[in-house]
């Protein structure tokens, strides 16, 4: 009986960890894209891809599920997505509160393999 409980507990722990990791991949992706969107809204001469183009990048480069990305794009909570963008920028050491530093950062990473820069284009 003890072994059965242990096995069930282990399975539930592993399943929840796997689901959490999958969710984190999507949160990370949308955080990166939303960070690029916040940058594009703040910095002149810096643009980002459309949501549909971002989905294509997520499918091709990150092996994410297209339907799940589209569902988040169309039905995701905009406030939460924006929050993810701010968190991602903070983790990168920049903030929308300092536009000069943010734009310098954006021009440096635009069109690179950087997680945020892959969504950015600078003139």
């Amino acid at each position: 009986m003890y072994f059965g409980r242990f096995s069930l507990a282990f399975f539930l722990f592993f399943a929840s960890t796997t689901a959490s990791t999958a969710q984190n991949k999507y949160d990370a992706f949308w955080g990166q894209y939303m960070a690029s969107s916040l940058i594009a809204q703040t910095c002149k001469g810096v643009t980002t891809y459309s949501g549909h183009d971002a989905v294509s990048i997520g499918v091709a480069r990150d092996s994410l599920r297209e339907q799940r990305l589209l569902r988040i794009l169309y039905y995701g909570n905009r406030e939460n997505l924006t929050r993810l963008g701010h968190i991602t920028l903070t983790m990168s050491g920049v903030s929308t509160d300092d536009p000069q530093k943010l734009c310098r950062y954006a021009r440096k990473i635009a069109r690179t393999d950087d997680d945020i820069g892959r969504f950015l284009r600078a003139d």
Side-chain angles (χ1 to χ4, degrees):
M1 190 73 157
Y2 176 76
F3 181 73
R5 287 185 192 161
F6 175 77
S7 296
L8 178 61
F10 180 77
F11 173 77
L12 291 175
F13 172 77
F14 183 76
S16 67
T17 302
T18 303
S20 174
T21 302
Q23 182 61 39
N24 288 339
K25 284 191 334 186
Y26 289 87
D27 285 350
F29 173 83
W30 284 111
Q32 294 157 7
Y33 175 71
M34 291 305 295
S36 75
S37 179
L38 291 167
I39 289 170
Q41 292 171 17
T42 305
C43 303
K44 290 184 180 183
V46 178
T47 59
T48 190
Y49 290 101
S50 71
H52 282 281
D53 289 338
V55 167
S56 297
I57 291 170
V59 171
R61 291 190 187 174
D62 300 335
S63 301
L64 300 175
R65 294 179 45 212
E66 182 177 22
Q67 291 303 315
R68 187 167 180 183
L69 290 173
L70 288 171
R71 186 173 53 239
I72 294 168
L73 176 63
Y74 288 113
Y75 303 112
N77 182 310
R78 293 289 172 215
E79 289 178 22
N80 287 341
L81 291 172
T82 301
R83 182 180 52 79
L84 286 173
H86 283 287
I87 290 169
T88 302
L89 286 172
T90 300
M91 290 172 42
S92 297
V94 292
S95 167
T96 54
D97 295 336
D98 187 353
Q100 196 171 35
K101 183 177 179 183
L102 179 69
C103 296
R104 224 179 6 256
Y105 170 76
R107 285 183 178 79
K108 178 181 171 187
I109 64 167
R111 295 185 190 253
T112 67
D113 284 335
D114 179 85
D115 290 335
I116 299 170
R118 64 188 175 154
F119 297 110
L120 293 172
R121 294 176 299 240
D123 296 337

